Amino acid sequence: KFVFLIFSFWEEKPNWVKIKTLAAAPFLEEFMYRGLVFGLYRDCGLLESNRTACLTLLPLYFALAHAHILWG
């Protein structure tokens, strides 16, 4: 289904909602989420005290925030 959606861009005039959803939204979400959480870690001093835990927890928080997708 995703492949047909990508190829449908060439068959019709550009639909900016589709382009934003497929291209801009994932990049901006990742950038803002990681930037905000990483900034909180840095500002509260957790990054300097335990860098490995911070780098492990960042993707875990991101995955937990999107876990609702698995259930429908």
Side-chain angles (χ1 to χ4, degrees):
K1 189 172 182 177
F2 179 72
V3 173
F4 293 119
L5 179 66
I6 297 297
F7 284 115
S8 71
F9 286 139
W10 286 282
E11 297 173 2
E12 58 189 46
K13 63 181 183 178
N15 184 342
W16 294 108
V17 174
K18 288 181 186 177
I19 293 171
K20 288 191 309 185
T21 303
L22 292 173
F27 174 74
L28 291 174
E29 180 186 25
E30 188 78 16
F31 179 76
M32 290 182 64
Y33 179 81
R34 293 199 189 268
L36 291 173
V37 175
F38 190 81
L40 287 173
Y41 281 163
R42 184 192 61 229
D43 293 344
C44 73
L46 187 62
L47 182 64
E48 287 81 18
S49 64
N50 198 349
R51 187 174 301 266
T52 304
C54 291
L55 295 177
T56 304
L57 290 174
L58 276 171
L60 180 64
Y61 292 152
F62 192 79
L64 287 174
H66 293 87
H68 66 89
I69 296 170
L70 296 174
W71 291 282

